[in-house]
Every structure is written in structure tokens, then in C-alpha cells.
Amino acid sequence: MSAQIKPIVRSLACQSCPIREHTLCSATDVRTMECLRTGTRHVTPGVDVFPQGGDCTNLYIMLSGWACLYELLEDGRRQILQFLLPGDVLGFNRHDGVATFGAQAITTVSACVVPRDRFMEAALKRPQLALELSALIAAQEAMAYEHLTSVGRRTARERVAYLLLELFCRARSRIPSDSLDQITLPLTQSHIADASGLTPVHTNRMLRNLREAGIIELNQRTLRVRNPDLLAAAAGFEREVTLPYLPHRRWILGHARAKDVDNDGMVTA
Amino acid sequence: MSAQIKPIVRSLACQSCPIREHTLCSATDVRTMECLRTGTRHVTPGVDVFPQGGDCTNLYIMLSGWACLYELLEDGRRQILQFLLPGDVLGFNRHDGVATFGAQAITTVSACVVPRDRFMEAALKRPQLALELSALIAAQEAMAYEHLTSVGRRTARERVAYLLLELFCRARSRIPSDSLDQITLPLTQSHIADASGLTPVHTNRMLRNLREAGIIELNQRTLRVRNPDLLAAAAGFEREVTLPYLPHRRWILGHARAKDVDNDGMVTA
DNA sequence: CGCGATTTTGAGCACCTTCAATCCGTGTGG
DNA sequence: CCACACGGATTGAAGGTGCTCAAAATCGCG
């Protein structure tokens, strides 16, 4: 494979795109997206898809690989805001001004590149697309809220368990190659720590704890969930959880502190 | 004012709506919103605008008062996800299934009620509206991310300072009656605690700390910021901050841990 | 094989929590 | 008008969860 002539493939055109149906693109016809996109971008592990503070004029639709949204404080503390898997979209929340967070490739990432202004223009003519976009952002917002309550109100063990459960569910539903009880998890413990608001050292101890409890196995970039129910319990769920999709997880009854009742119907004027 | 005949006022119709220009509604003409809305809802302090786990078929546009988004864990721990001020919109992130968070009035709240399906229908014909919606959600998502890094990576003192700074900026820009260096802050210390991921007791100590440092005054529902720069510094900003709008704050150079460079341009196919 | 990055483990400390008591401001009823 | 109750704010003391510092072990890779 040295001096061989490489055939020019229009790599990953929309028609043959494996994730077309599972992301933003499904809201419109193949032709439209085909015209909007300018190409595919490949990013090597550790480098930014777009840096914090920089401007980013493109939307990126994740095609393969893992990335993360992060925010750095000025003294180096890092918070990982979200892990991005195939089908996730980056870059729309950077309208005006400079956003406070960046995106970084964890594994080798390939992403579909769509200039934002071009996309917005198209969305003006195809409201379906605009609404799909807002639904997508709303889902991401909901996930951000879940992370917030996790980091704000769960114990270290619960946070780690919750994160693993989330990633397990998301990866399993997105990446078909993964088997039923395990996924490939290309994260370092520092990634997990920065997403959970913990130190790497303490994250390690929590992982050991979960491992010794027979709940998970985690080594060589693979996470095996030996007992999903126990993992859910460790994450703080007392009753059932719907595994396949976590982001909009089914809520479970019982409001411990909800002394107040809904008063829908008090519409006056 | 006992048996007097009360004139029927179409209270807060869109034309005279004080916040029309500062929220979602500005994306369309007065008439449209006038048709979409079904009324104004008033909610008394402490009761839910919509409860966690319940379904919510309406959008609410905050007209006056303070509310908060919250999530309860099953054992009663509460995380406040966001404080809602006039102009903020609630309820779109509850498409299908039941959302994991609810909204509660802190003061008496009045909100413009818009049935979601009706709104979506209208948005299909007015892409501007749909795009405005997505921009709005994206802004909320960005705020959620800021809260996440705050709770995950800042110290208790920094968190409290950051929250006060954010609320100060938002309230001052939204609620015109507030003067330059102070706002009315109708929160209990428990609210601040639940938003910061702290206990009320420790929140109290941090507030005392900030007070004794001459940075703030906080009593009887009013927050006075005696020294904005010191407050920003206490929140963890080493250099300048743009006060008027915090959500998309201007980013400040210097990536402590960013050893990686952006590689925009690696577009291949 | 040797180097760097990551994981693992230990020991001590500190930040924040928990528990508990007191104080204060406001509203309510006698 | 005062006593009382109640929610919220305040303070103290003690304990624990998670952090810091440090060193060793392991893994990945050229």
C-alpha cells in the first residue's frame, strides 16, 4: 500500500451515511444536507475540534469517535460538560461572541462539517429543520441538567456510577458494534474525574469500589457492566430505570420534598 | 374599593407587554403571539408551575416574579438548576415523555401561557420563530454548562460568589426597577445552597465571609454589591469580566491546561 | 528495554457536612 | 399589646468525605 493509486471516494456521502437517520439530518432530505455540508473533518486524539474562547463558524455532526465538551478555569481546573458520541451535534451554541467552552477529540474523531450560517439559511426555508435543531438542543440541555444535579447533589460513588451508567446506555444505543453487557470506553480516569467533579485519585477509589462490589469491570478501554441493577442502585436510583435511553429517563414517583401541589388551571386573563 | 364595578381589562395583552421585545415574542409580530397565547397564569410562592415528573403541555413566558427549575432526588436532595426571571421561557424541554425536573414559583409569578403544540404549529410556518426558540434554548444550555463547571470545579466561596454575580447581572438587566448596585433577591439561603450544591449552613458561612470582606450586603431580600470587582475575583475571575450580561460572558485568554492547538482546516472530503 | 502516561495505593489533612442550639423577624391569635 | 409560633438565619463543635501529596506499580509504545 505504498505507491498505489488511491481511488477518489466521496467519503461518507449522505446517502451512505450510517447515522443519517439518527441525527439532525433525518429532518430533511438527503439532497439538502448533501449541499449544505462542506466535507468531513478528522481530528486526532487530544486536539480541539474547536477551542475554548475561539470562534467556531461550523456545525459538526459526529460521525465516529468520542469527543467531549469542556470548560477550563483560568487556573487549570477543568470541567467536562458532556461526552459526544456519533450522532451528536456540536457548535450551534456559539452564535454571537465567544463561547466559554471548547470541544476536544478523545479518540480519533470524524465529523461532518456544515457552515453554520449556511445551515441557518436553510433552516429558514425548512422549519422542520429548525424545530429539529431546537429539539436536539433541548435534549442536550436536559442532559446538562442531569449532570448538574449529579455533580451538585450526589456522592462521589453515585456520581461515578451515574456517569458510567449514562455512558453505557448512550454508547450501547449509538455504537452498534458494542455487545449487550459491555462497551468500549476510551476514557482515562481523569476524564471521568473531570466530568464528575472529582479528583483522579478519588475517582480511582470509587471505581475500585464498584469493581470490588462486582458491579463493573473496567480495563483496557472496555467497560463491562456485570449487574445493571446494582449499577443503577449505586447511581442513586431506588426503583426501576429504563436503560436503553437515559437522557430522558422515565421518572419515578415519590417526591420526597414536594409538599406543594400543582395548580394548573389558574388561568385568568 | 368594595362594590365598585371593575373594568374588564385584557390584562397584559401583547401590545402593552413590557417584556415583549426582550424574549421569544420579538421574533414575530404582535398579532401572532396574541393569537397563540391562551392567557396569563399566576402562581403563588412555593407552588409548582409544573411539577417534576408531571406532564406539561404549555410553554410559559415569565412576565414577572422569580421561579426556579429544580430536580429532586428520591431521598429528598434537591438541585436547583436555574433561576427564572421575567423574559425566560419554560416548558419546551418536555417534548415526549416526562421530564426529570420541575419548576417552582419563588415569588408570586405571572407567566404568559402558550400551548406548546399550537406554538410548534406556528413555528412551522414562521421559521424565524423556530430559530429564535433554538437560540433561546442554546443560551439556557450555555448557562447550564456554566453552572456545571461552577458546581463541579469551584470552591464553596467561589460558587456562592459566582451565583450572586450571575443573579445580580441578570436581575439588573431584566428588572428595571433595580438600582445600579443592588437588586431585590427573593431567595432564601436554602435556595442559594441548593443551586450551589452546598448545605444551607455552609452557604451561610460563605455569605458571612463575603459580607465581612466588604464585598456584598445581603439582608431583607436585597443584595447590594459593594465591590463588583472583588465579587468577580471571589468568583474566580482573575481578569476583567463583562458585567451587563453574564451568560455569554466574554472569555479571557490564557488556557492553563490547553497544550493542544486548534487544527481547523483539516477538511478532507 | 526504557521512557512517559496512567493507574493504584497510602497517609494526613481540610473543606464541607452533620447535628444541635440559639437568635431573629414576621405574622397570628388571645 | 403582648405571647406565641414558625420559618429562616446564625453560630458552635465534631466528624467524615473527598482532597493533597507522594510513591510505587502497571501499561502502552518506540
Side-chain angles (χ1 to χ4, degrees):
Chain A
M1 46 190 67
S2 49
Q4 232 170 352
I5 291 171
K6 221 166 162 192
I8 297 170
V9 274
R10 210 170 191 301
S11 72
L12 281 176
C14 293
Q15 279 143 333
S16 61
C17 176
I19 61 161
R20 210 194 103 73
E21 293 303 326
H22 305 97
T23 184
L24 193 55
C25 310
S26 65
T28 184
D29 56 311
V30 178
R31 183 80 82 76
T32 306
M33 289 307 294
E34 195 82 75
C35 293
L36 285 178
R37 70 194 296 269
T38 59
T40 302
R41 172 138 171 250
H42 300 275
V43 188
T44 41
V47 332
D48 282 358
V49 179
F50 50 81
Q52 174 170 333
D55 208 359
C56 167
T57 57
N58 291 323
L59 299 184
Y60 296 100
I61 303 170
M62 294 279 295
L63 296 176
S64 69
W66 285 60
C68 66
L69 289 185
Y70 67 88
E71 175 164 353
L72 290 176
L73 298 187
E74 295 162 41
D75 60 359
R77 285 174 283 180
R78 178 176 73 165
Q79 176 68 40
I80 288 183
L81 306 164
Q82 176 70 288
F83 291 105
L84 300 159
L85 273 61
D88 287 329
V89 181
L90 298 87
F92 44 71
N93 26 22
R94 318 188 111 239
H95 287 144
D96 38 72
V98 181
T100 61
F101 52 91
Q104 184 171 94
I106 294 173
T107 67
T108 296
V109 162
S110 62
C112 183
V113 182
V114 181
R116 189 179 29 247
D117 47 6
R118 234 204 272 185
F119 179 87
M120 291 306 175
E121 219 172 293
L124 273 179
K125 293 181 200 133
R126 292 172 195 75
Q128 292 279 8
L129 203 52
L131 280 184
E132 187 64 26
L133 178 67
S134 67
L136 200 131
I137 308 177
Q140 292 209 9
E141 188 194 7
M143 275 210 271
Y145 285 151
E146 292 297 319
H147 296 160
L148 184 52
T149 83
S150 205
V151 170
R153 283 303 183 218
R154 282 189 237 262
T155 67
R157 197 179 117 110
E158 288 171 333
R159 288 184 224 176
V160 173
Y162 187 92
L163 179 62
L164 292 183
L165 186 58
E166 180 195 312
L167 293 178
F168 177 70
C169 296
R170 288 179 65 204
R172 215 183 43 171
S173 71
R174 303 287 192 83
I175 304 170
S177 64
D178 288 323
S179 79
L180 253 179
D181 70 338
Q182 66 182 29
I183 61 167
T184 66
L185 193 76
L187 310 179
T188 66
Q189 294 186 2
S190 285
H191 283 124
I192 300 176
D194 283 341
S196 310
L198 300 170
T199 57
V201 177
H202 202 242
T203 302
N204 182 304
R205 284 190 237 274
M206 295 303 104
L207 287 172
R208 169 159 60 122
N209 183 308
L210 292 173
R211 191 182 308 130
E212 287 174 354
I215 300 176
I216 61 163
E217 285 170 23
L218 178 57
N219 39 22
Q220 264 92 266
R221 329 264 93 148
T222 65
L223 165 70
R224 193 162 95 85
V225 176
R226 303 190 59 182
N227 192 328
D229 290 334
L230 280 184
L231 185 56
F237 298 99
E238 288 171 7
R239 320 195 197 174
E240 114 262 24
V241 188
T242 28
L243 273 193
Y245 269 73
L246 201 68
H248 287 286
R249 67 168 208 256
R250 184 187 314 157
W251 179 247
I252 301 130
L253 303 155
H255 295 196
R257 247 159 85 178
K259 44 190 167 184
D260 313 308
V261 197
D262 180 31
N263 67 346
D264 226 308
M266 276 188 61
V267 177
T268 56
Chain B
M1 45 189 66
S2 47
Q4 231 172 351
I5 293 172
K6 219 168 163 193
I8 297 172
V9 273
R10 208 170 192 297
S11 73
L12 279 176
C14 293
Q15 279 144 333
S16 60
C17 176
I19 60 160
R20 209 195 103 72
E21 293 302 325
H22 305 95
T23 185
L24 193 55
C25 310
S26 64
T28 186
D29 56 310
V30 177
R31 182 81 81 76
T32 305
M33 289 308 294
E34 195 81 76
C35 294
L36 286 178
R37 71 193 295 270
T38 58
T40 302
R41 172 139 170 249
H42 300 273
V43 188
T44 42
V47 333
D48 282 357
V49 179
F50 50 81
Q52 174 171 334
D55 209 359
C56 166
T57 58
N58 291 323
L59 298 185
Y60 297 100
I61 303 172
M62 293 279 293
L63 296 176
S64 68
W66 285 59
C68 67
L69 289 185
Y70 68 88
E71 176 164 351
L72 290 177
L73 298 188
E74 296 162 41
D75 60 359
R77 285 174 282 180
R78 179 176 72 163
Q79 176 68 40
I80 289 184
L81 306 164
Q82 177 68 288
F83 292 105
L84 300 159
L85 274 61
D88 286 329
V89 181
L90 297 90
F92 45 70
N93 27 20
R94 316 190 111 239
H95 288 145
D96 37 74
V98 181
T100 60
F101 52 91
Q104 184 170 96
I106 294 173
T107 66
T108 296
V109 162
S110 62
C112 181
V113 182
V114 180
R116 189 178 31 245
D117 47 5
R118 235 204 272 186
F119 179 87
M120 292 305 176
E121 218 173 293
L124 274 180
K125 294 183 199 131
R126 292 171 195 75
Q128 292 279 10
L129 202 53
L131 280 185
E132 188 64 26
L133 178 67
S134 67
L136 201 132
I137 307 177
Q140 292 209 9
E141 187 194 7
M143 275 211 271
Y145 284 152
E146 293 297 319
H147 296 160
L148 183 53
T149 83
S150 205
V151 170
R153 283 305 183 217
R154 283 189 237 261
T155 66
R157 197 179 116 110
E158 289 171 332
R159 285 184 227 177
V160 173
Y162 187 93
L163 180 63
L164 292 183
L165 185 58
E166 181 196 312
L167 293 178
F168 176 69
C169 295
R170 288 179 64 203
R172 215 184 40 172
S173 71
R174 302 289 191 83
I175 305 169
S177 64
D178 287 323
S179 79
L180 253 179
D181 70 337
Q182 66 182 30
I183 60 168
T184 66
L185 192 75
L187 310 179
T188 67
Q189 294 185 359
S190 284
H191 283 124
I192 300 177
D194 283 341
S196 311
L198 301 169
T199 56
V201 177
H202 202 240
T203 301
N204 181 303
R205 285 190 238 274
M206 296 301 104
L207 288 172
R208 167 159 62 122
N209 184 307
L210 292 173
R211 190 184 308 131
E212 288 174 352
I215 300 177
I216 61 163
E217 284 170 22
L218 177 57
N219 37 22
Q220 262 92 267
R221 327 266 96 146
T222 64
L223 165 70
R224 194 162 93 85
V225 176
R226 303 191 57 181
N227 191 327
D229 290 334
L230 280 183
L231 184 57
F237 298 99
E238 290 171 7
R239 323 198 194 172
E240 113 262 25
V241 187
T242 30
L243 273 193
Y245 268 73
L246 202 69
H248 286 287
R249 68 168 209 258
R250 183 186 313 158
W251 178 247
I252 302 130
L253 303 156
H255 295 197
R257 248 160 84 178
K259 42 189 167 185
D260 312 308
V261 196
D262 180 32
N263 66 347
D264 226 310
M266 276 187 59
V267 178
T268 56

